Amino acid sequence: MAPRFDLVSEVWVGAQGPDGRLLNERTVVMPQASADHLCQLILSEGTDLVVCGGVEQEYYNYLV
């Protein structure tokens, strides 16, 4: 886990089934550490939960 949202270089993406089991998972290597690219990935994946070390208010508001 990166200490800040905008410093992420790799992202773990997983999906949980209705019974709680992990359905699929993968690691996405970001082309560069960028909060904008990470927001794009989060939105395109339809993400319900993001776990990170810290996120600027601007990006938090955008994603919420």
Side-chain angles (χ1 to χ4, degrees):
M1 182 182 310
R4 286 189 352 211
F5 184 79
D6 60 342
L7 297 177
V8 166
S9 60
E10 293 183 11
V11 178
W12 179 85
V13 178
Q16 188 177 27
D19 60 356
R21 291 184 315 155
L22 192 60
L23 298 178
N24 68 36
E25 64 178 299
R26 69 185 195 283
T27 300
V28 177
V29 178
M30 302 297 285
Q32 64 187 38
S34 163
D36 292 334
H37 289 132
L38 186 54
C39 283
Q40 183 179 9
L41 176 67
I42 290 167
L43 294 175
S44 69
E45 291 287 331
T47 303
D48 293 322
L49 174 69
V50 175
V51 178
C52 63
V55 59
E56 290 183 28
Q57 191 69 40
E58 172 188 2
Y59 295 109
Y60 174 82
N61 292 340
Y62 177 72
L63 292 170
V64 169

